[in-house]
Amino acid sequence: MAGLEALYAWARAAVSRPQDALICGVHWELIRHGYRCLGAGDQPGPDERKSELLPAGWEANKEVYTLRYKSMDDAHELLLKAIMVEDSMIFNVMDRSSQKVADVTLAVADYINPEHLDDFHKVYKNTEELRTRIASGIIAPLGVPAEKAKKEPEAKKKDPDLPRNYDPLRVPPRQPAGSRAPSWPSPLSPFAVGGEDLDPFGGRSGGMIMDPLRPGRPQPGVDPSSGIPDRLPPGAVPPGARFDPFGPLGAGRPGPDPDHLPPPGYDDMFM
C-alpha cells in the first residue's frame, strides 16, 4: 500500500468524489501488475511516456474516465473506460493488441469511505477484496504481462525460508537421520505391557529370545547363529532366525540347575 499512498498524496488535490479515489485504487493495481499509464483520452498525445502516475486531466471528464496503459514488455496496450451507474462503477478494458475485452462492476461504497477523502489511511476499505476483484476481472482475462509473470517465479525460487533441497511432496522422516532411537519406557510402567514383543532381543529387559550362552541374563545383540558350546556348531541357526533353546545346556551353567529341584506339589497324587 506504500505505492498507493504516495500516488494518492500526489493526486489528492484532484480527488473530489468517491469514484476518483476508486480510480486511483484501480490504477495502482494495474501498475502493480506490470502496466504503465500513457495518458488520458482515446488518442495518444505528443511526447507520451510510460508513467506510474496518473496523467494530467485524468479526472476532467465527469461522465466517463478514459485512460490508456501499456505493459512493460510492450505486448499489451489497454484502453480503460469507467462510468458511474447509480452507486456502482463499471470498468471496461480492451487490449488493443489482442482485441480482448474485460469488465468488472464495483460498488463504490464497498471500497471507499466518502467522508474520509482527505485521509488516505481511512479512505479505502476491503482492500484485499478490491485487489482480488481487479485481478480476476481485468488482469486474468487479458493476460499477465510477461515481465510480471517472469518475476514471480524468481521471487519464489529465492525464498530464504525454504531449504535448498525442499520438496513439498516428500514425506518427512519420523526420526532424523543419524540420530539414536528413543529409549523404551520402564517395564514397571502399566503402559509398557507387551513392550517385550517389540524388542525380542532383550535390548531393554526380558525379551522373547533366550540367550543360550548366558541363561537368566539376557544380553542385547546376541546372535544365536554363533552356536552353543558343545551343543550347536556356529552357523547352525540362520542369522536373524527365531531361536528357542532345547535340552539341558550342559557343563558350565552358572548357579543351580533348575532340573534338580522338585516341582511344586511333587508329592500330590493329582499332579
Side-chain angles (χ1 to χ4, degrees), residues 89-109:
M89 201 168 199
I90 301 176
F91 291 84
N92 183 275
V93 184
M94 182 184 71
D95 187 344
R96 287 178 165 175
S97 303
S98 64
Q99 298 300 308
K100 291 182 179 179
V101 178
D103 61 82
V104 63
T105 301
L106 304 175
V108 177

PDB file of all heavy atoms in Angstrom, residues 89-109:
ATOM      1  N   MET A  89     -19.611   1.487 -10.178  1.00  0.00           N
ATOM      2  CA  MET A  89     -18.736   1.948 -11.253  1.00  0.00           C
ATOM      3  C   MET A  89     -18.421   0.770 -12.154  1.00  0.00           C
ATOM      4  O   MET A  89     -17.958  -0.285 -11.681  1.00  0.00           O
ATOM      5  CB  MET A  89     -17.457   2.544 -10.668  1.00  0.00           C
ATOM      6  CG  MET A  89     -16.730   3.479 -11.608  1.00  0.00           C
ATOM      7  SD  MET A  89     -15.441   4.410 -10.736  1.00  0.00           S
ATOM      8  CE  MET A  89     -15.205   5.761 -11.895  1.00  0.00           C
ATOM      9  N   ILE A  90     -18.662   0.923 -13.446  1.00  0.00           N
ATOM     10  CA  ILE A  90     -18.404  -0.142 -14.421  1.00  0.00           C
ATOM     11  C   ILE A  90     -17.094   0.161 -15.128  1.00  0.00           C
ATOM     12  O   ILE A  90     -16.927   1.227 -15.723  1.00  0.00           O
ATOM     13  CB  ILE A  90     -19.558  -0.243 -15.437  1.00  0.00           C
ATOM     14  CG1 ILE A  90     -20.879  -0.541 -14.725  1.00  0.00           C
ATOM     15  CG2 ILE A  90     -19.251  -1.324 -16.469  1.00  0.00           C
ATOM     16  CD1 ILE A  90     -22.079  -0.567 -15.653  1.00  0.00           C
ATOM     17  N   PHE A  91     -16.177  -0.784 -15.047  1.00  0.00           N
ATOM     18  CA  PHE A  91     -14.875  -0.666 -15.713  1.00  0.00           C
ATOM     19  C   PHE A  91     -14.875  -1.571 -16.943  1.00  0.00           C
ATOM     20  O   PHE A  91     -15.133  -2.779 -16.833  1.00  0.00           O
ATOM     21  CB  PHE A  91     -13.738  -1.080 -14.776  1.00  0.00           C
ATOM     22  CG  PHE A  91     -13.519  -0.134 -13.633  1.00  0.00           C
ATOM     23  CD1 PHE A  91     -14.270  -0.232 -12.473  1.00  0.00           C
ATOM     24  CD2 PHE A  91     -12.560   0.865 -13.719  1.00  0.00           C
ATOM     25  CE1 PHE A  91     -14.071   0.633 -11.419  1.00  0.00           C
ATOM     26  CE2 PHE A  91     -12.353   1.743 -12.666  1.00  0.00           C
ATOM     27  CZ  PHE A  91     -13.106   1.636 -11.516  1.00  0.00           C
ATOM     28  N   ASN A  92     -14.595  -1.000 -18.088  1.00  0.00           N
ATOM     29  CA  ASN A  92     -14.467  -1.758 -19.325  1.00  0.00           C
ATOM     30  C   ASN A  92     -13.060  -1.549 -19.864  1.00  0.00           C
ATOM     31  O   ASN A  92     -12.625  -0.406 -20.055  1.00  0.00           O
ATOM     32  CB  ASN A  92     -15.505  -1.295 -20.349  1.00  0.00           C
ATOM     33  CG  ASN A  92     -15.441  -2.111 -21.627  1.00  0.00           C
ATOM     34  OD1 ASN A  92     -14.648  -1.828 -22.519  1.00  0.00           O
ATOM     35  ND2 ASN A  92     -16.291  -3.112 -21.731  1.00  0.00           N
ATOM     36  N   VAL A  93     -12.352  -2.656 -20.098  1.00  0.00           N
ATOM     37  CA  VAL A  93     -10.954  -2.588 -20.529  1.00  0.00           C
ATOM     38  C   VAL A  93     -10.778  -3.418 -21.794  1.00  0.00           C
ATOM     39  O   VAL A  93     -11.200  -4.581 -21.839  1.00  0.00           O
ATOM     40  CB  VAL A  93     -10.003  -3.098 -19.428  1.00  0.00           C
ATOM     41  CG1 VAL A  93      -8.555  -2.916 -19.860  1.00  0.00           C
ATOM     42  CG2 VAL A  93     -10.260  -2.372 -18.120  1.00  0.00           C
ATOM     43  N   MET A  94     -10.163  -2.825 -22.812  1.00  0.00           N
ATOM     44  CA  MET A  94      -9.892  -3.544 -24.060  1.00  0.00           C
ATOM     45  C   MET A  94      -8.388  -3.544 -24.321  1.00  0.00           C
ATOM     46  O   MET A  94      -7.726  -2.506 -24.187  1.00  0.00           O
ATOM     47  CB  MET A  94     -10.616  -2.895 -25.234  1.00  0.00           C
ATOM     48  CG  MET A  94     -10.405  -3.643 -26.552  1.00  0.00           C
ATOM     49  SD  MET A  94     -11.146  -2.848 -27.989  1.00  0.00           S
ATOM     50  CE  MET A  94     -10.090  -1.422 -28.177  1.00  0.00           C
ATOM     51  N   ASP A  95      -7.880  -4.723 -24.670  1.00  0.00           N
ATOM     52  CA  ASP A  95      -6.483  -4.842 -25.088  1.00  0.00           C
ATOM     53  C   ASP A  95      -6.433  -4.606 -26.593  1.00  0.00           C
ATOM     54  O   ASP A  95      -6.917  -5.423 -27.382  1.00  0.00           O
ATOM     55  CB  ASP A  95      -5.949  -6.239 -24.738  1.00  0.00           C
ATOM     56  CG  ASP A  95      -4.449  -6.357 -25.005  1.00  0.00           C
ATOM     57  OD1 ASP A  95      -3.894  -5.507 -25.716  1.00  0.00           O
ATOM     58  OD2 ASP A  95      -3.839  -7.308 -24.484  1.00  0.00           O
ATOM     59  N   ARG A  96      -5.886  -3.481 -26.997  1.00  0.00           N
ATOM     60  CA  ARG A  96      -5.863  -3.139 -28.420  1.00  0.00           C
ATOM     61  C   ARG A  96      -4.977  -4.088 -29.222  1.00  0.00           C
ATOM     62  O   ARG A  96      -5.146  -4.220 -30.438  1.00  0.00           O
ATOM     63  CB  ARG A  96      -5.370  -1.706 -28.588  1.00  0.00           C
ATOM     64  CG  ARG A  96      -6.402  -0.665 -28.159  1.00  0.00           C
ATOM     65  CD  ARG A  96      -5.871   0.751 -28.289  1.00  0.00           C
ATOM     66  NE  ARG A  96      -6.939   1.723 -28.215  1.00  0.00           N
ATOM     67  CZ  ARG A  96      -6.754   3.048 -28.212  1.00  0.00           C
ATOM     68  NH1 ARG A  96      -5.510   3.537 -28.277  1.00  0.00           N
ATOM     69  NH2 ARG A  96      -7.779   3.875 -28.144  1.00  0.00           N
ATOM     70  N   SER A  97      -4.050  -4.750 -28.559  1.00  0.00           N
ATOM     71  CA  SER A  97      -3.159  -5.668 -29.273  1.00  0.00           C
ATOM     72  C   SER A  97      -3.877  -6.957 -29.651  1.00  0.00           C
ATOM     73  O   SER A  97      -3.713  -7.468 -30.762  1.00  0.00           O
ATOM     74  CB  SER A  97      -1.926  -5.976 -28.416  1.00  0.00           C
ATOM     75  OG  SER A  97      -1.251  -4.789 -28.062  1.00  0.00           O
ATOM     76  N   SER A  98      -4.664  -7.503 -28.728  1.00  0.00           N
ATOM     77  CA  SER A  98      -5.343  -8.786 -28.969  1.00  0.00           C
ATOM     78  C   SER A  98      -6.842  -8.641 -29.178  1.00  0.00           C
ATOM     79  O   SER A  98      -7.513  -9.627 -29.487  1.00  0.00           O
ATOM     80  CB  SER A  98      -5.093  -9.719 -27.787  1.00  0.00           C
ATOM     81  OG  SER A  98      -5.669  -9.185 -26.594  1.00  0.00           O
ATOM     82  N   GLN A  99      -7.383  -7.425 -28.982  1.00  0.00           N
ATOM     83  CA  GLN A  99      -8.810  -7.153 -29.088  1.00  0.00           C
ATOM     84  C   GLN A  99      -9.634  -7.874 -28.013  1.00  0.00           C
ATOM     85  O   GLN A  99     -10.854  -7.998 -28.128  1.00  0.00           O
ATOM     86  CB  GLN A  99      -9.338  -7.539 -30.481  1.00  0.00           C
ATOM     87  CG  GLN A  99      -8.701  -6.763 -31.624  1.00  0.00           C
ATOM     88  CD  GLN A  99      -8.942  -5.255 -31.507  1.00  0.00           C
ATOM     89  OE1 GLN A  99     -10.074  -4.819 -31.348  1.00  0.00           O
ATOM     90  NE2 GLN A  99      -7.861  -4.493 -31.569  1.00  0.00           N
ATOM     91  N   LYS A 100      -8.968  -8.332 -26.973  1.00  0.00           N
ATOM     92  CA  LYS A 100      -9.698  -8.944 -25.858  1.00  0.00           C
ATOM     93  C   LYS A 100     -10.327  -7.856 -25.006  1.00  0.00           C
ATOM     94  O   LYS A 100      -9.783  -6.751 -24.863  1.00  0.00           O
ATOM     95  CB  LYS A 100      -8.763  -9.785 -25.001  1.00  0.00           C
ATOM     96  CG  LYS A 100      -8.242 -11.040 -25.669  1.00  0.00           C
ATOM     97  CD  LYS A 100      -7.362 -11.838 -24.702  1.00  0.00           C
ATOM     98  CE  LYS A 100      -6.851 -13.113 -25.334  1.00  0.00           C
ATOM     99  NZ  LYS A 100      -5.979 -13.879 -24.391  1.00  0.00           N
ATOM    100  N   VAL A 101     -11.493  -8.182 -24.435  1.00  0.00           N
ATOM    101  CA  VAL A 101     -12.227  -7.221 -23.616  1.00  0.00           C
ATOM    102  C   VAL A 101     -12.542  -7.845 -22.261  1.00  0.00           C
ATOM    103  O   VAL A 101     -12.895  -9.030 -22.172  1.00  0.00           O
ATOM    104  CB  VAL A 101     -13.536  -6.777 -24.308  1.00  0.00           C
ATOM    105  CG1 VAL A 101     -14.314  -5.817 -23.408  1.00  0.00           C
ATOM    106  CG2 VAL A 101     -13.235  -6.128 -25.655  1.00  0.00           C
ATOM    107  N   ALA A 102     -12.407  -7.046 -21.215  1.00  0.00           N
ATOM    108  CA  ALA A 102     -12.752  -7.493 -19.861  1.00  0.00           C
ATOM    109  C   ALA A 102     -13.492  -6.367 -19.166  1.00  0.00           C
ATOM    110  O   ALA A 102     -13.294  -5.186 -19.481  1.00  0.00           O
ATOM    111  CB  ALA A 102     -11.492  -7.862 -19.069  1.00  0.00           C
ATOM    112  N   ASP A 103     -14.362  -6.738 -18.243  1.00  0.00           N
ATOM    113  CA  ASP A 103     -15.093  -5.710 -17.499  1.00  0.00           C
ATOM    114  C   ASP A 103     -15.387  -6.207 -16.090  1.00  0.00           C
ATOM    115  O   ASP A 103     -15.455  -7.416 -15.842  1.00  0.00           O
ATOM    116  CB  ASP A 103     -16.395  -5.327 -18.211  1.00  0.00           C
ATOM    117  CG  ASP A 103     -17.338  -6.507 -18.358  1.00  0.00           C
ATOM    118  OD1 ASP A 103     -18.049  -6.819 -17.400  1.00  0.00           O
ATOM    119  OD2 ASP A 103     -17.347  -7.122 -19.452  1.00  0.00           O
ATOM    120  N   VAL A 104     -15.547  -5.250 -15.193  1.00  0.00           N
ATOM    121  CA  VAL A 104     -15.881  -5.560 -13.816  1.00  0.00           C
ATOM    122  C   VAL A 104     -16.688  -4.401 -13.256  1.00  0.00           C
ATOM    123  O   VAL A 104     -16.462  -3.240 -13.604  1.00  0.00           O
ATOM    124  CB  VAL A 104     -14.606  -5.804 -12.975  1.00  0.00           C
ATOM    125  CG1 VAL A 104     -13.744  -4.552 -12.899  1.00  0.00           C
ATOM    126  CG2 VAL A 104     -14.955  -6.284 -11.590  1.00  0.00           C
ATOM    127  N   THR A 105     -17.664  -4.719 -12.412  1.00  0.00           N
ATOM    128  CA  THR A 105     -18.514  -3.709 -11.786  1.00  0.00           C
ATOM    129  C   THR A 105     -18.236  -3.693 -10.288  1.00  0.00           C
ATOM    130  O   THR A 105     -18.307  -4.730  -9.624  1.00  0.00           O
ATOM    131  CB  THR A 105     -20.009  -4.007 -12.033  1.00  0.00           C
ATOM    132  OG1 THR A 105     -20.246  -4.034 -13.447  1.00  0.00           O
ATOM    133  CG2 THR A 105     -20.883  -2.947 -11.390  1.00  0.00           C
ATOM    134  N   LEU A 106     -17.935  -2.497  -9.770  1.00  0.00           N
ATOM    135  CA  LEU A 106     -17.587  -2.342  -8.362  1.00  0.00           C
ATOM    136  C   LEU A 106     -18.534  -1.356  -7.699  1.00  0.00           C
ATOM    137  O   LEU A 106     -18.749  -0.249  -8.225  1.00  0.00           O
ATOM    138  CB  LEU A 106     -16.142  -1.850  -8.211  1.00  0.00           C
ATOM    139  CG  LEU A 106     -15.050  -2.689  -8.864  1.00  0.00           C
ATOM    140  CD1 LEU A 106     -13.700  -1.988  -8.731  1.00  0.00           C
ATOM    141  CD2 LEU A 106     -14.999  -4.080  -8.262  1.00  0.00           C
ATOM    142  N   ALA A 107     -19.099  -1.764  -6.556  1.00  0.00           N
ATOM    143  CA  ALA A 107     -19.909  -0.845  -5.755  1.00  0.00           C
ATOM    144  C   ALA A 107     -18.964   0.091  -5.003  1.00  0.00           C
ATOM    145  O   ALA A 107     -18.157  -0.358  -4.187  1.00  0.00           O
ATOM    146  CB  ALA A 107     -20.797  -1.623  -4.794  1.00  0.00           C
ATOM    147  N   VAL A 108     -19.075   1.375  -5.288  1.00  0.00           N
ATOM    148  CA  VAL A 108     -18.108   2.335  -4.738  1.00  0.00           C
ATOM    149  C   VAL A 108     -18.107   2.314  -3.221  1.00  0.00           C
ATOM    150  O   VAL A 108     -17.048   2.354  -2.576  1.00  0.00           O
ATOM    151  CB  VAL A 108     -18.416   3.756  -5.260  1.00  0.00           C
ATOM    152  CG1 VAL A 108     -17.464   4.780  -4.643  1.00  0.00           C
ATOM    153  CG2 VAL A 108     -18.310   3.792  -6.779  1.00  0.00           C
ATOM    154  N   ALA A 109     -19.284   2.215  -2.618  1.00  0.00           N
ATOM    155  CA  ALA A 109     -19.382   2.261  -1.154  1.00  0.00           C
ATOM    156  C   ALA A 109     -18.734   1.054  -0.486  1.00  0.00           C
ATOM    157  O   ALA A 109     -18.437   1.101   0.714  1.00  0.00           O
ATOM    158  CB  ALA A 109     -20.846   2.367  -0.735  1.00  0.00           C
TER     159      ALA A 109
END
